[in-house]
Amino acid sequence: MSEALAFLMAHANTWAATALLCIGLWVVMVRGNLIKKVIGLNIFQTGVFLFYISMGYIIGGTAPIVEEGADAVYSNPLPHVLILTAIVVSVATTSLALALIVRIRESYGTTEEDDVIASDEA
Amino acid sequence: MNEHLIVRVVTKLLVPFVLLFALYVQMHGDFGPGGGFQAGVIFATGFIVYGLVFGIERLIKALPLPVLLFGVSGGLLLYAGVGVASLLAGGTFLDYSALDSHDPVHGQHLGILLIELGVGITVASVMTAIFITFAERWHR
Amino acid sequence: MNLLAHLPALQIVVPLVAAPICAVLFNPRIAQPFAVLVSLVTFAISVGLLNEVLAEGEIVYHMGGWEPPWGIAYVIDPLNALLLCLVSGMAAIVMPAVRLGIGAETTERSRRLFLSLALLALTGMLGIVITGDAFNLYVFLEISSLSSYALIATGNDRRAAPAAFNYLIQGTVGATFILIGIGLLYMMTGTLNMADLAVRIVDLRHTAPIQAALAFILVGAAVKAALFPAHAWMPNAYTYAPSMVSAFFGATATKVGAYIMIRFIFTVFGAEWVFGDMMIGWILVPLGIAAAFAGSLVAIWQTDLKRMLAYSSVAQVGYISAAIGLGNRDGLIAAIVHVFNHGLMKGALFMVMACVILRLGRADITSFRGLGRRMPVTMGCFVVAGLSMIGVPLTVGFVSKWYLVLGAIEAGVWPVAVLVIMSSLLSVIYIGRVIEVAYFAPAPDDARIQEAPALLLVPTLLLTVLCITFGIATDTTVGVAAYAVQFLLGGLP
Amino acid sequence: MIMAPLPASWLPLVAIALPMACVPLILLARRFPDVREGITMAGASLLIVVVALLAFALSLGPVAPLAVTGPIADLPLTMRVEPLGMLFALVAGFLWLITSIYAVGYMRAHHEKNQTRFYVFFAIAIGATMGIAFAGDLLTLFIFYEILTISTFPLVTHAQNDEARRAGRLYLGILMGTSIGLFLLAIVITYAVAGTLDFRPGGILQDKVQPALAGLLLALYVFGIAKAAVMPMHRWLPAAMVAPTPVSALLHAVAVVKAGAFSVLKITTFIFGFDLLAGLTATGLLQAVAAFTVIAASLVALTKDNLKARLAYSTISQLSYIVLAALIADPAAFLGGGFHIATHAFGKITLFFCAGAILVAAHKTRISELDGMGRVMPFTFAAFLIGSFSLIGLPPMGGLWSKWLMIQGAFNTQHWILIGVFAVSTLLNIAYLLPIPFRAFFRPLPDGASSGVREAPLPCLAAMAVTIMGCLALFFLPDPVIAFLSRALSLSGAFP
């Protein structure tokens, strides 16, 4: 029992990231509201961010800033830099998605996917 | 928000400091935590708070969309310009060391400063532009 | 200073710098020629790179002077040199016609930033192809994707926005999958440089993260390549986007997805492992065949011809996927050649749609009645490009089909050869249907339709002529592809 | 040759390029019908000269093959002149001139639209036919085969009405479907197992394939070459009869259909080889299919009242003679098949010329309407009678020799049933062909039907006269042709 718990805890970040990925993807796929889809997409991407950040962190490591004389263990900064880029991309994606939703709302009067489809078929 | 006097006064006081802090983060980027991304977002925060409190029209008056567009493009051009300059100076693309023929370290300082400035301008302009675009539509 | 040594950087920098400049050049009369000039320069750089690669072999360029694993390296081998030529060449051909082409098909507001977005999309795709760094590939992927979502949304049909939104959701999920895969690779190997990855993966292949990384990256690339059943974004996106956008992306975007697949399978993971132990061929080939049938069958029933072409693209991506999945020399040649060839023919067909929409305002099958007489050159281009789609000899379509069938026979999977040929017969139906309407149905009396203007017609004709040129003289395509295969497969047969 | 401007190995290329070169000229002269037709005539005459020169060169000794880089890297397109192809090219080239003369009379008298398009695609089709005749390997053959299909499509659908559209669908659907679906597949498989696609003496598949695969390949070839119209791939041919008569005459009695039969003959001889072929079970099965086609098509022809439809089914039946001859895998049958390409061409084109003349002069398409017409158009129906004799194989017409040789081949290889098939089909030939001229000559003219009907235009009559001469010549002078073809056989290694 405790062994299983230990295993779970040792990979806590990974589990959390996986959970976020799954929740996000589920929301994207199942929800019909376009804004909720975007929120789901954000949750999904957050899962990836968490995954990258955990990857670079070393337990007991400090921020990777060189201090003279200190014999410190540094966390790997590269994944964090990478994910910063990914976060920026995510912000851009979100804003573009929202802009599109605004346009859809203006021309269809709704943000529900089903209504949009029904309105086109009518 | 015309009736919220406290918010208006505090905002008026705060915004310059927000922008100043942004400038600090921007310029301190090559010595400590900070840099163009963060600074740009803080810049944009200042503008956006101003727009939220005093109304979108006044923000647009202060920062018309063409100016923002110019900021977006100009920042990117500054970034790329540094890269091209290093190319022309005989290095590879974005090789800052080549910027100063006598002291490569000095060249690197110069390069990273300019690059981050470009990033900061672009990020600040983009964020503000996104805010204005949405807010303006809603306003109509 | 020698600019020639910096061609790999310039390939990206030129369009990248030009995009913001186009945005601040408010006058379209200046911005348009400028964009044309930039795309021509970009194409010239690609051709220069291809020549250099063919003469001297692989080129490696270190951005910022940083050696890998710290810096980003651009690595150019015959495969991506050929793709660079395709992408920038398509841009150079389409760009002069853009202003005329989008006039009828975009909203007034969106026209201003159109050129900047197009140049950004070009930058992104060139970047995906040229980079030798896995994460950099993701960044460029997002640059091209974001600008393509925006470009698709510029269409003046109100359905353009939902189409772009769907593409955005699916494309982002796909790109994020690739990001996860790259993260797993980095976690296990500590490098992002593809060449280093390839070396370090060899000992780690049995580990779950590497296998998961393969799965994530392939699925992500499949979404980008619109491989059935992950193609759902494509038909609407290409139907409601301006035809210029459809022409450019129809010719390049899905190809770049296929490129990502090829690059990761053959350069990073290693073909013998992917096809041997992981048996990816058993996924790619059946999916490819299913795509070929599903896409062609659905295409037959479409009344909107842009949608028909989009579904036909689904089928063609299926061929590419099946060709990759064969995992042998001829199959890979077929995949690379078809990536190039299909770009040419689909570009030509979408350009025809642009001509027709400019004159008639729509591109459904009834509007094609009697067009054979009214727009003879445009329809002539359609016929030739359509024959190429069918795979008639002396057109590009024949060359790729030949290698695909040969590859299938050499891999010993006879049913695949038969199925590929059977599915390609379906294209006889959907192309023939249009030709019938254009030449046999009487034209409606009222409309006075003229041939498309020269500015649109010349690019269309050029692409059509290329369809035949590369169908006869295949040194450039098949020759380069065979050379690329040497790089990808190493010493393997 | 004293001047020797070009080595003979280049002449096939000239023969292909010559008709193609006429295309831009014809397009340029589209506003001047006389100039336009003049160009066609000049091109056709020049082509005859080129082909004759080539034949002369070939009679002196082997002509070196010519290779050009093609679409597939390891497979250059080769031109190889051998007697069988030479004969085909001679027939097609000669009849192009005759048909052009005929077409001038027909198209003008019939007031057809889009005549420029007609002459353009006609020229392309002839160029493609030359390509098929001189192809030195299967890929080259296939490429020109497809060009021929595509270039004849606008000719078949010339009328651009609903009937033409239906015919066009059937035409393109069957020809392209089989050629890409079966023929191309067979070629790729052949390349994969044999490593080459060259037409070689004795075949290239010998010792390289299992009998089962060889049988499958043979079936793919025979059915894939739908231009040979073996049932059930024959439906396109009757459909193609909506085309103007010169098209039916030259393309669907000579160039296109013979391209099919010729391809089958070449593939059985130079890809499979007689030895391999004779040992296959599939050969027997396909012989049965071809024999069935011979008989069934003749029976269908009996039921057709439309003159061109009857001739079309007759063509189907006659083509299967050649396929049958190819499958018998015997030197005599090969000679007969090759010879039949020529004799049937002259016979059938005469009949089509007559059908067109009747259409133009009397506006009649049905056999039941022809009562007594022989009195109004005596020359036309006389020509029809002579053409019929040739097809049936009665002396003094060339058709006799080709049938004779084929039966001899069947006799050599002890295919007794096939001899029966030849005999029965000859009777059927008589039954569906001869009543037409008899009806025209011996039945009385219905009242008032003759008003305004005259003999066909002069160019049409002249063309018929020439083709009749051809039929006669093939009877009296078969030896050069047969000697010529025998060289093809000795080249093929079938003669010891």
Side-chain angles (χ1 to χ4, degrees), chain C residues 394-415:
Chain C
L394 300 187
T395 61
V396 285
F398 174 73
V399 182
S400 19
K401 207 150 284 174
W402 173 274
Y403 282 101
L404 178 52
V405 174
L406 193 61
I409 289 174
E410 280 179 0
V413 279
W414 296 72

Side-chain angles (χ1 to χ4, degrees), chain B:
Chain B
M1 286 212 177
N2 284 331
E3 65 272 27
H4 295 291
L5 187 62
I6 294 175
V7 176
R8 290 165 66 94
V9 171
V10 170
T11 307
K12 223 167 204 174
L13 278 173
L14 209 55
V15 165
F17 289 102
V18 170
L19 297 185
L20 193 64
F21 180 63
L23 209 59
Y24 166 75
V25 172
Q26 171 79 58
M27 293 308 173
H28 197 250
D30 52 338
F31 295 109
F37 271 126
Q38 293 84 335
V41 174
I42 299 171
F43 267 120
T45 317
F47 298 141
I48 291 171
V49 166
Y50 183 79
L52 277 175
V53 174
F54 293 98
I56 190 80
E57 292 89 355
R58 285 183 69 174
L59 179 58
I60 293 179
K61 213 171 167 189
L63 287 170
L65 266 177
V67 170
L68 286 176
L69 191 62
F70 195 80
V72 174
S73 310
L76 195 51
L77 279 177
L78 182 58
Y79 188 113
V82 173
V84 173
S86 64
L87 259 188
L88 294 176
T92 59
F93 187 70
L94 287 181
D95 184 0
Y96 315 132
S97 313
L99 288 178
D100 191 321
S101 50
H102 306 295
D103 184 3
V105 176
H106 188 220
Q108 295 211 349
H109 274 296
L110 183 65
I112 198 81
L113 204 70
L114 289 174
I115 290 278
E116 291 294 335
L117 189 61
V119 172
I121 293 173
T122 303
V123 170
S125 314
V126 167
M127 299 305 280
T128 317
I130 289 174
F131 171 75
I132 289 179
T133 319
F134 280 116
E136 189 197 32
R137 268 191 188 245
W138 178 76
H139 208 70
R140 277 185 308 194

Side-chain angles (χ1 to χ4, degrees), chain D residues 69-87:
Chain D
T69 327
I72 309 299
D74 314 329
L75 287 171
L77 302 182
T78 46
M79 298 287 149
R80 192 169 290 146
V81 186
E82 45 77 44
L84 182 62
M86 197 61 244
L87 177 70

